[in-house]
Structures are given as C-alpha cells and as structure tokens.
C-alpha cells in the first residue's frame, strides 16, 4: 500500500461542478481534523456554499450553484485555513461490544494475510484505542474514526462487496469504522456489533457527532 | 389516487434529491434523469422539483382509482391507457378505473427509465428536506422503500384540473450528444487523474465503455481497458458526489450515481458533469458510452443550457395552459 501523504500545502480539486474538495497537508491527526471542523463551521456560512462536509483531514464544499470562476473561493479557503483556530470538541464516549472474526467478520483472513499478524493481535490492536469520530459519511449515521493503529492498516478490497450488513466493523486503508445499515462497501469486515446510529426524525438525525469517541469492547473472537 | 398493479421492484418515488444532509452521511438520492422529472412536472404546472415515480423495470402497470391528470417522460415505453396508445413526453388525462401499462423501452433513442408525474407531485412526507427514497437507511419516498404491488399513492393536488394533451420534444433530440452513435458524457478530470498512466488516460477518452449488469442507482460499473495507476493510491475518505468516476484496484471504473454514498476513498479519475448526469441515468445496462474531456467554463455553461431548455419548456407550457379551452392540441 502506498499511503497518500499529502504535500506541504493544501490541495484543492473539483468534483465536477457540484463541489470542491479541500485536502489538508501533513499527517492524518486530530489537531489537523480540529482545524477542518473549524474551517467547516466558517465555510458553511459562505454564500456560494450549500454544505460544508468534513472528511478525514479534508473538507468538501458543495455549491448552491457553481461560481463562474473559482479563484476567489479558493483564495478565501486557503486564507481561512491559515487563520483558523482548531475547534476542540470533547464529546461523549460510546462503548460498542464487538464479536470479531467468524461469520460476522468475513474478511479477517485478508487482514491477517496483509498484516502478517495473528487474529488475537489484530483484535488487541483494534480494540485498544479510544477512537475520536472525525467525520460522518458513507451512509446515514456512519462515523469515520481516527486513531487506528497503522500496523493493522489493510488496503480497500480490489472489488467492493455488493452488500455488508449493518453493524459490520471494518478496516479500509488506515481507517476503521462501523456500518450503520446494510449496503455496498470496499472495506474489510473484521467483526460485528449492534447500535442505532441514525433516525431521520431526530434533529440532528445522526446519533454521533464529530468529536464523540468510540471504544470497541471485545465480546468474543470466533474462528 | 393510483394503485400499483405490478410486482416489479425498483420503482421509487424521487424528486430532485436531498441536498443538505451530506454531513450526516446522507446521500442525495433523487431522479436518475432529473431533466425528465423536471419536464414532466412542468407539463402539469407543478414545481420542477415535485416528487414523481421513477420506473426502471418493465412491464409496469398501475390503476387510477380516481380521475387524474398525469405526465409521462423519460424512456418511451409504448405506454397504453387501457388499450389506447399514449405519446411519450406528453400530458394525459386518466379516468377512474383506467389502467396505465408501460412496456419495454423502444425507439431509436432507447432509454431505460420512465418518469410518471402527478398534479402537485406524489404526496409522501418530506424527510430531511426531500421526498426522494433513501434506500440505504430506509426513509423518504413511500415508506423508505421501492414500490410494490398493492401500494396506493396520492397526488398532492389530485382534484386540480390540469390542461393535458400536449407534450415536448425529448431532450435527447433537443440536446443531443453522441460520438459514433454512442451517448457521450462530458467529464472534468479529477484529483487523481494524473496519477494514472498516460496510456490509460488516452484510452479512457478514446475508448468505448460498456455499462455492466452490476449497475444500478448506486453506481454504474463499467467494462473497458483497465485504467492503470502510476503507483497504487490509498486515499483518506472524503466527500464525493453523483458523477464521480472512481477507479478501484481492478482498474475498471465505477461512476457514482444518485444513490451513491456521500463519501469514498477510491482514486477519482474525473467527474461526469452535473449537466450530463441525466444522459447517463438513461443509458441502459449493456449499452456502450463514450467520454469527452471538458473544463470548468464549459461545464458551468452546460448547466445553463440545461436550465435554458427547462425555461423554454416552462414558457411553452404556460402558453398552452393559458390558451382558451379547446385550443390545446
């Protein structure tokens, strides 16, 4: 795997005429994500921005309608990034019991093969951290988590799986997360848990917010 | 009111999409052919973004349980109201008890999805700012799911008298875009475009791409000459939008469609521009498509051309609707 290490300056790229993607420079870490949260809060109020959507050390701005030229928006974004004060959030801690491996973790063998570690080692490394929620994405209520041990990083699958169930605990590249409902995924599923992450009738509809933290409790390991 | 008589899955209630909840992980959903939905709504005097029914599998049957105007746009499916053939891209009047049947898509410009619009739109609750069906998470639309036999849906303005009996030249004819008889789509190169071999980049623009059977409202998986990265790329998860062309390790691209998730991590070769997504939404499984490289100014202008076409439709409909009764065709 070639880890993408963004260059020394932020990069900006287009997602058609629908959105602009800002990627922070440097290593993926919480301090940088706190700047992303702050940048999102600020950019959400700009007139051409429909929504500011934090990712993993990056920020997507969707347009109300695409500006005729992008120079002014790009300059404003870069200046705001330099000036921004990191937004620290100490959210609540949520503990999730996980059954690792077995039928609920069909790709554990791929993580073993890629990392060269035993199942027990992988479980130990995966369940050790208190993972901060960096951002929501993928599907309703899904949380992207920071802080996974790089020793269990495993590339996304060559061909995405057409459907994995809700509650699937998985690894994609250097990241980990829990699926909130059944659907397609390119990640490696190593375990399963239960949790209601989303209710469209609530405001906000997602259970967890950026800044909340998740701990995985080992409920069992299956062969 | 209408009652669904067919047992086919995948027909869904859609509007122009749920645009403001990406940060909660909620994709946009919305009509695969937004232009057909907007035009169908305008034909009935609705807001362009009212909810309609997207029908991708045929034959499809429904019964009108009360008198009701309707408009059919999108794929020409040889529609019949009882035994009477109906023109596509046209507004019609049904009487209580009549059965609407949509057959296989036909015609020179074979499309793949029909849109049915009703006066005031399909009456389903708005969820997070939209009436589109969000299949993943099961909310929005009709009970958060595809329609099935026995479902009964209401038009929001069922009693409103609509002038019907007129129609449109479909946008596939009014705004054609083809290369060698194949539907062509304009693409803005993406962040990782230069991370692919020059030969792969050339092949992408020069080649034909087949839409494989593993294609649906989530995404179109394409088959063609595999796109080779200069070096493997493993990205941080980031926001994506419908139209983004991702290239997983297999080298066979996947175009994100309306039910796409709002974030991803595969390298982005480019994005089919918003203005051309309706063309792709109508491209049938098994058909081949081509790509045209574009730039920002042209992509923005293309959106304006699409809006201009809809504005023309709105003016034409206003003239028809204000003409004295009996003067309409």
């Amino acid at each position: 795997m070639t880890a993408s290490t963004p260059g020394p300056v932020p990069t900006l790229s287009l997602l058609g005429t629908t959105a602009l993607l800002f990627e922070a420079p440097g290593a993926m870490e919480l301090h940088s994500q706190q700047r992303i949260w702050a940048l999102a809060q600020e950019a959400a109020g700009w007139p051409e921005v429909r929504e500011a959507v934090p990712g993993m050390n990056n920020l997507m701005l969707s347009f109300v309608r695409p500006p005729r030229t992008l120079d002014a928006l790009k300059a404003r974004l870069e200046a705001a990034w330099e000036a921004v004060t990191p937004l620290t959030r100490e959210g609540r801690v949520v503990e999730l019991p996980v059954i690792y491996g077995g039928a609920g973790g069909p790709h554990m063998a791929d993580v073993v093969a890629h990392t060269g570690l035993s199942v027990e080692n992988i479980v130990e490394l995966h369940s050790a951290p208190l993972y901060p929620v960096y951002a929501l994405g993928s599907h309703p209520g899904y949380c992207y988590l920071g802080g996974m041990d790089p020793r269990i990083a495993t590339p996304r699958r060559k061909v995405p799986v057409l459907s994995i169930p809700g509650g699937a605990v998985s690894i994609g590249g250097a990241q980990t997360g829990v699926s909130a409902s059944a659907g397609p995924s390119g990640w490696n599923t190593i375990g399963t848990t239960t949790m209601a992450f989303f209710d469209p009738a609530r405001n906000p509809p997602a259970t967890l917010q950026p800044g909340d933290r998740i701990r995985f409790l080992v409920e069992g390991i299956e062969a | 009111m209408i009652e669904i008589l067919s047992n086919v899955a995948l027909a869904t209630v859609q509007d122009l999409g749920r645009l403001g909840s990406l940060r909660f992980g909620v994709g946009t959903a919305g009509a695969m052919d937004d232009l057909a939905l907007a035009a169908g709504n305008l034909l009935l005097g609705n807001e362009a973004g009212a909810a309609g029914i997207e029908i991708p599998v045929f034959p499809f049957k429904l019964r009108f349980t009360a008198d009701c105007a309707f408009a059919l746009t999108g794929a020409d499916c040889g529609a019949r109201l009882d035994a009477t053939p109906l023109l596509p891209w046209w507004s019609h009047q049904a009487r209580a008890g009549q059965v609407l049947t949509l057959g296989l898509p036909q015609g020179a410009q074979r499309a793949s999805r029909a849109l049915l619009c009703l006066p005031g739109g399909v009456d389903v609750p708005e969820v997070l700012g939209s009436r589109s069906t969000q299949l993943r998470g099961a909310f929005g639309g009709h009970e958060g799911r595809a329609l099935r036999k026995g479902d009964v849906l209401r038009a929001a303005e069922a009693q409103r008298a609509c002038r019907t009996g007129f129609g449109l030249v479909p946008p596939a004819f009014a705004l054609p875009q083809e290369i060698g008889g194949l539907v062509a789509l304009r693409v803005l190169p993406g962040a990782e475009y230069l991370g692919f071999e020059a030969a792969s980049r050339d092949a992408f623009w020069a080649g034909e791409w087949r839409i494989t059977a593993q294609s649906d409202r989530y995404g179109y998986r394409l088959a063609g000459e595999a796109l080779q990265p200069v070096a493997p790329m493993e990205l941080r998860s980031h926001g994506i939008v419908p139209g983004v062309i991702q290239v997983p390790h297999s080298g066979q691209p996947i175009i994100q469609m309306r039910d796409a998730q709002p974030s991803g991590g595969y390298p982005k070769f480019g994005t089919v521009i918003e203005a051309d997504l309706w063309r792709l939404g109508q491209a049938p499984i098994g058909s081949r498509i081509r790509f045209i490289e574009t730039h920002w100014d042209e992509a923005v202008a293309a959106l304006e051309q699409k809006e201009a076409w809809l504005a023309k439709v709105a003016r034409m409909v206003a003239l028809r609707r204000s003409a004295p009764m009996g003067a309409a065709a």
Side-chain angles (χ1 to χ4, degrees):
Chain A
M1 181 177 73
T2 304
S4 64
T5 309
V9 293
T11 58
L12 291 163
S13 59
L14 292 171
L15 298 161
T17 54
T18 310
L20 181 72
L21 181 65
F22 172 94
E23 295 180 81
M28 185 160 74
E29 37 110 38
L30 187 58
H31 178 78
S32 181
Q33 190 66 14
Q34 289 168 338
R35 289 178 72 187
I36 289 287
W37 293 338
L39 186 64
Q41 203 170 58
E42 183 175 342
W46 297 350
E48 60 273 67
V49 174
R50 183 189 296 279
E51 195 176 358
V53 187
M56 298 295 277
N57 275 193
N58 53 57
L59 179 67
M60 180 174 82
L61 301 180
S62 65
F63 300 129
V64 174
R65 57 181 305 127
R68 199 159 282 282
T69 63
L70 291 163
D71 294 349
L73 180 60
K74 286 178 173 175
R76 189 174 186 187
L77 199 46
E78 282 164 349
W81 171 251
E82 289 308 319
V84 84
T85 305
L87 190 62
T88 52
R89 288 173 166 157
E90 287 292 312
R92 59 209 183 93
V93 174
V94 175
E95 296 189 325
L96 296 178
V98 178
I99 296 172
Y100 286 95
H107 307 137
M108 179 64 93
D110 298 311
V111 179
V112 169
H114 179 78
T115 61
L117 299 170
S118 68
V119 171
E120 287 70 20
N121 273 329
I122 291 165
V123 169
E124 192 184 335
L125 294 173
H126 188 263
S127 58
L130 188 57
Y131 293 100
V133 174
Y134 272 26
L136 274 67
S138 174
H139 55 270
Y142 179 82
C143 301
Y144 285 111
L145 307 176
M148 191 181 76
D149 192 305
R151 284 174 287 180
I152 54 173
T154 305
R156 291 175 181 83
R157 306 188 65 74
K158 279 197 164 54
V159 177
V161 180
L162 284 176
S163 185
I164 62 166
V169 178
S170 55
I171 293 175
Q175 301 168 211
T176 187
V178 188
S179 63
S181 57
S185 171
W187 288 27
N188 304 286
T189 299
I190 60 165
T192 186
T193 184
T194 50
M195 165 88 181
F197 288 97
F198 192 82
D199 178 353
R202 270 193 322 233
N203 184 21
T207 307
L208 297 180
Q209 310 296 322
D212 289 342
R213 286 156 296 163
I214 286 182
R215 187 189 299 285
F216 294 113
L217 305 177
V218 184
E219 178 149 285
I221 302 177
E222 294 181 354
Chain B
M1 292 211 293
I2 60 171
E3 181 188 351
I4 308 298
L5 302 180
S6 296
N7 234 340
V8 296
L10 303 176
T12 50
V13 175
Q14 300 292 345
D15 59 14
L16 295 178
R18 190 172 278 109
L19 301 179
S21 295
L22 301 173
R23 67 192 181 286
F24 305 120
V26 181
T28 61
M32 291 280 274
D33 181 348
D34 55 315
L35 206 46
L37 177 72
N41 277 323
L42 293 177
L43 280 173
L44 294 176
N46 295 347
E47 297 272 330
I53 299 174
E54 178 180 296
I55 303 154
V57 176
F58 308 97
F60 186 83
K61 277 189 192 209
L62 61 85
R63 178 187 291 120
F64 290 93
T65 54
D67 292 3
C68 190
F70 66 99
L72 277 178
T73 56
D76 173 1
C77 296
R80 288 174 183 274
L81 190 58
D82 288 342
T84 310
L86 300 179
L87 287 166
W89 291 84
W90 206 264
S91 57
H92 307 279
Q93 177 69 47
R95 300 291 165 212
Q98 286 191 302
V99 172
L100 175 67
T101 306
L102 303 181
L104 286 173
Q106 58 181 27
Q109 299 268 2
R110 196 164 65 90
S112 61
R113 287 175 174 81
L115 273 298
L116 172 69
C117 293
L118 302 173
V122 178
D123 188 18
V124 293
E126 195 175 76
V127 182
L128 297 173
S130 166
R131 294 183 168 81
S132 285
T133 308
Q134 171 66 33
L135 292 173
R136 181 138 194 204
F139 59 88
H142 180 68
E143 300 176 358
R145 59 167 173 81
L147 301 179
R148 57 187 181 223
K149 190 174 177 177
D151 282 343
V152 173
L153 297 168
R154 259 177 42 87
E157 296 168 15
Q159 307 306 318
R160 173 159 64 84
C162 281
R163 192 185 295 260
T164 57
F166 58 92
L168 304 171
V169 175
F173 293 97
L175 305 166
Q177 191 166 278
E178 293 187 348
I179 299 174
L182 302 182
V183 168
L185 305 155
R186 287 166 286 190
V187 170
L188 263 177
E192 285 74 55
Y193 177 68
L194 293 175
F196 289 87
E197 297 283 0
S200 284
R201 284 182 264 136
D202 292 345
F204 179 81
W205 305 114
E208 294 180 357
W209 294 89
R210 187 170 52 82
I211 299 174
T212 70
Q214 279 192 329
S215 297
D216 54 21
R217 285 185 47 88
Y218 285 99
Y220 283 6
R221 297 185 184 211
L222 305 183
E225 192 178 317
L227 301 173
Q228 304 292 349
V230 176
M233 290 178 269
E234 194 75 24
L235 309 178
R236 296 168 184 178
S237 296
H238 55 270
I240 55 172
V241 298
V244 164
I245 304 168
Q246 294 185 326
V247 183
H249 307 308
S250 67
Q252 299 293 340
I254 301 174
I255 310 182
Q256 303 299 304
M257 298 302 288
R258 299 286 181 182
D259 279 347
Q261 55 183 49
S263 60
Y266 287 118
K268 300 172 295 302
F269 192 90
T271 307
V272 174
I273 63 174
E274 204 174 321
D276 280 351
L277 280 180
W278 64 275
R279 305 177 197 275
L280 191 56
Q282 287 292 6
I285 282 177
S287 69
R288 288 165 301 149
I289 55 176
R290 290 284 305 266
F291 295 110
I292 302 169
E293 186 171 1
T294 190
H295 51 82
W296 179 258
D297 292 350
E298 186 179 64
V300 172
L303 269 181
E304 288 165 357
Q305 282 158 16
K306 203 175 102 175
E307 285 167 7
W309 184 80
L310 280 175
K312 209 169 94 181
V313 170
R315 283 197 301 276
M316 184 281 286
V317 172
L319 280 174
R320 289 287 195 169
R321 291 170 61 84
S322 63
M325 279 305 239

